[in-house]
Every structure is written in structure tokens, then in C-alpha cells.
Amino acid sequence: MAATERVDDEADRRRRARELLDATTPGRSIAVRRCTLALETFRSGGGGLAEARALLRDALDCSNVHHPTIYRAWISMEEQAGNDAVSIRKLFEGWHCWYRKKREGGGSQNEEETRSQDEGGFWCHYIDFELRHGTAASARGVGERAVAACPRDPAVHAKYAKAELRLGCPDRARAVLLSALDAFAADAETRERLEHEVTAYGDTMRRGSWRRLRGFLPFCSRRWTRPAQGYDLLAVA
């Protein structure tokens, strides 16, 4: 009986997550359906990758879909296919252009706040990609662009500082952190949490305890990272 209840609770959680994303993200449901079709086509083998790309490209031409969801799924698909970083970066840059056009188009305060949080998640995702597939210079370049684009998002500052730690550059990480603390000079709570997160991350890395680090990061992420709407596409679709 307990196992059945857990399954029911999980199904209910997924349903509520879908409803929340659909309510706060115009065009998400349409995007999810298109992404699901494309990913199923990709996994079918044969010429599936080319056809999946065509489906996602067509989806991006639509004005009534949530474009970040499309880009997220497309990038994930290209990584699974083992394609080169250069072509995947073009998708990230296309995604970034979408945010720039949205900013230029204006919108209500709530729309701008949602877009700002969404863009912070984008930059964190881009930094992670460069850490996996790029060089120290490319990861650092994206980190600099990220804090310039989202100066009021502490998650972006923290991500860049931790990226420098992962690159083995604690002095650079400290400089990024100090810059972040200056950016939030009037917010004592944010300053304290920023310093605690980056310092704790560095301490864990110095101990070389990667297993404990993997357990620690989700805890930090709950406090700082705000993934772009639709990031949990495969989990809640």
C-alpha cells in the first residue's frame, strides 16, 4: 500500500508541476509536444536525427511556442548524439538572441521578472556546457557574459565563481565573489549566502570529496538556481 501511495504522490507532483509550468509559461505545452515528437524521432534511429532537427527548426519558426524549451531539448539531443561543441554553441547563441529580442520588445513587469529568471537559468546551463566541452577560456568568457547580462541574479554570480574553482583558479573565483558581494552591497542576506555557498564549495573541492560534493550541490541549487521555465521538460512532460 505504501508503495502505491508513493507512486500516486509522484504522479500528483508531476501533474502539479505541469500545471504550474503551463500556467506561467505561455506556449510551453505546445513546445513540449513538439520536443517530445522530435526526441522520439531522434531515438528511432536511421535518419531520425536529421528529421528531429527539422521538426525543432520548424518549431522555432512558430511564435506561439516557448522557445527556451525547444532550445533546451535540441541542445540535449545534440549532446546525446555526440555532436561537436561548435554546432551546439550556435544553438546557445540562437537561444541568447531570443532573450535579447524579448528584452527589446518590452513587456509587463511580471513578464520581465520571469524572463530575467529564465535567462539566469540559461547562462548557468551555458557555463556548465563550456565546463564539460570547452576550454578554460571559453567557460570564463561565458561566465563574464553571464554576470554582465544578469547582474542582479545571485545564482549566476555563484555559478561563475564555482566555475573558476572547478577550473582550478581560486584567486579568480575570489575576485568573482568579491565583485558579486559589491553588486549586492545593500543586501546583507544575499551577501552572506553567496559567500557561504562559494566558500563551502571551495572547501569541499579542496578536500577532494566529490561524492559529498554531488550531495551538497542540490542543496545549494534549491537556494540559488532558478532554472528556465521548461527546463524539466523530460521530467514533467
Side-chain angles (χ1 to χ4, degrees):
M1 179 66 71
T4 302
E5 290 177 353
R6 284 197 297 271
V7 171
D8 290 342
D9 289 343
E10 178 64 15
D12 185 59
R13 184 195 69 79
R14 289 162 65 90
R15 177 187 58 76
R16 286 185 282 108
R18 285 195 299 269
E19 290 175 352
L20 175 62
L21 285 170
D22 290 342
T24 58
T25 312
R28 177 193 172 272
S29 293
I30 300 172
V32 167
R33 289 196 295 271
R34 289 173 179 263
C35 289
T36 300
L37 175 60
L39 293 175
E40 289 174 350
T41 302
F42 162 62
R43 291 167 184 153
S44 67
L49 179 58
E51 187 176 349
R53 285 172 175 162
L55 288 169
L56 293 171
R57 193 176 297 111
D58 288 344
L60 289 176
D61 289 336
C62 300
S63 60
N64 62 338
V65 300
H66 185 239
H67 285 65
T69 297
I70 304 292
Y71 278 114
R72 169 75 178 195
W74 196 342
I75 288 168
S76 175
M77 183 185 75
E78 296 290 347
E79 287 197 79
Q80 289 179 47
N83 288 316
D84 65 281
V86 174
S87 62
I88 298 176
R89 284 192 188 98
K90 291 180 180 178
L91 291 173
F92 274 109
E93 293 302 326
W95 193 353
H96 180 227
C97 287
W98 182 84
Y99 286 115
R100 187 169 63 244
K101 291 177 181 177
K102 283 294 183 181
R103 284 197 303 271
E104 293 171 353
S108 67
Q109 182 175 350
N110 287 340
E111 288 174 337
E112 291 178 359
E113 289 177 355
T114 299
R115 188 161 60 244
S116 176
Q117 294 177 2
D118 195 82
E119 188 171 1
F122 157 77
W123 285 112
C124 289
H125 186 43
Y126 201 171
I127 291 171
D128 279 336
F129 171 81
E130 290 297 343
L131 288 171
R132 292 193 306 272
H133 301 289
T135 64
S138 65
R140 187 167 293 128
V142 172
E144 293 287 350
R145 292 172 63 193
V147 296
C150 300
R152 300 305 301 170
D153 191 332
V156 172
H157 289 273
K159 174 65 76 171
Y160 181 25
K162 290 190 289 186
E164 290 289 4
L165 290 173
R166 287 179 59 181
L167 292 170
C169 301
D171 290 342
R172 284 181 176 271
R174 185 64 183 171
V176 173
L177 175 59
L178 290 175
S179 177
L181 295 178
D182 286 343
F184 295 95
D187 189 341
E189 182 180 359
T190 296
R191 286 168 55 88
E192 181 180 355
R193 288 162 57 188
L194 257 172
E195 186 159 20
H196 170 74
E197 179 174 351
V198 176
T199 301
Y201 187 97
D203 289 344
T204 308
M205 289 192 70
R206 280 192 294 275
R207 289 196 297 270
S209 180
W210 288 101
R211 182 172 300 177
R212 292 179 63 186
L213 178 61
R214 286 196 295 269
F216 176 75
L217 287 180
F219 171 78
C220 293
S221 298
R222 284 194 295 271
R223 303 201 58 172
W224 287 113
T225 56
R226 293 186 297 274
Q229 303 288 347
Y231 261 34
D232 293 332
L233 168 64
L234 300 181
V236 301

